[in-house]
Amino acid sequence: MNYPVLDKGYVKLIGTMQSASDDEQCAKAFDDMVVEAARVSYGGGLKSPEQNKKLLAYLIEHEHGTPFEMVTFKFELKLPIYVMRELLRHRWSSFNEISGRYTEEIATDYYVPESFRAQGTKNKQGSTNEDLSLCNIIHTDDMVSYMNVVTEYKAALNMQRNSYNNLIRTGVAKELARGVLGTAFYTKCVWSVNARALINFLILRCDEHAQWEMRQYAFAVLEIFKTLMPNTYNILQKHLI
Ligand SMILES: Cc1cc2nc3c(=O)[nH]c(=O)nc-3n(C[C@H](O)[C@H](O)[C@H](O)COP(=O)(O)OP(=O)(O)OC[C@H]3O[C@@H](n4cnc5c(N)ncnc54)[C@H](O)[C@@H]3O)c2cc1C
């Protein structure tokens, strides 16, 4: 399962506790594993599908999270560094990121937003739907000057990439040369996360308060989650977005 995200990123399922599979029986097993774990305390197992769904709903409503820790997923992501920084805040998971000391790959691609959203006014952390891509005017205290938002953005990032390549050509170590790259450059990581922590991630990052770019990754993960744990997904829906 591979979902393109933003202009050059993606989310790919690369493993589960069982092998990664699109097979429906295998996918259903992840919901059942949670139910089995929850019933182990009194020697019970799976019951009818309806009873199993009820138990899943009960576990979620009453925040009995540990049975969801029995199921783990592994994703590969290509994402801008600033989105990666947000993802890293989800401490209940494990990461391996490509090394900027070892490879020059981090200087390859940078993210160009489709829309340059204006700064939010109600929520100081957020943005509005107004697109400034075609905006050409900057007002400062004593003057008005002209530039195009997209051209300015790309010029800055191209300059960073050129500087990086020049430093590398001069023989500067990759671990130092990467210092000139901004956080719009793409990085890659492998992310291992159990279903409990993933549900927490989805609730926080599908929400409209999360940054739009982060949400696109959360929606891609949600699409994969929907296939893997359809019953849990159905119960969760009302907590999402
Ligand atoms: C809209 C939005 C805006 C944000 N803005 C900012 C910001 O401006 N600055 C900023 O720094 N972060 C910001 N964050 C990140 C946020 O504070 C969390 O770090 C991030 O969402 C991870 O959530 P989490 O701690 O629940 O997840 P995890 O780290 O995966 O933790 C999962 C759960 O485990 C428990 N847990 C984990 N570690 C501890 C611990 N040390 N002690 C006790 N319990 C623990 C908690 O119950 C936690 O909910 C923002 C997040 C969102 C969604």
Side-chain angles (χ1 to χ4, degrees), residues 1-5 9-23 26-28 30 71-78 189-195 198 217 220-229:
M1 277 180 260
N2 189 353
Y3 288 82
V5 187
Y10 60 79
V11 173
K12 197 192 295 182
L13 180 75
I14 55 169
T16 63
M17 296 174 60
Q18 301 172 9
S19 59
S21 165
D22 289 331
D23 175 62
C26 173
K28 276 189 184 144
F30 295 119
V71 178
T72 302
F73 303 122
K74 196 157 60 173
F75 301 96
E76 184 184 299
L77 296 96
K78 181 175 173 183
C189 74
V190 172
W191 179 36
S192 170
V193 56
N194 69 44
L198 191 63
Y217 283 90
V221 171
L222 183 64
E223 281 304 309
I224 296 171
F225 184 75
K226 186 160 101 178
T227 321
L228 296 170
M229 299 187 75

Side-chain angles (χ1 to χ4, degrees), residues 7 15 42 48 53 127 175-176 181 188 199 208 220 232 235:
D7 58 343
Y42 53 92
S48 73
K53 281 182 202 166
S127 51
E175 65 182 10
L176 290 175
L181 299 172
K188 271 188 202 163
I199 288 169
E208 62 181 17
T232 305
I235 299 156

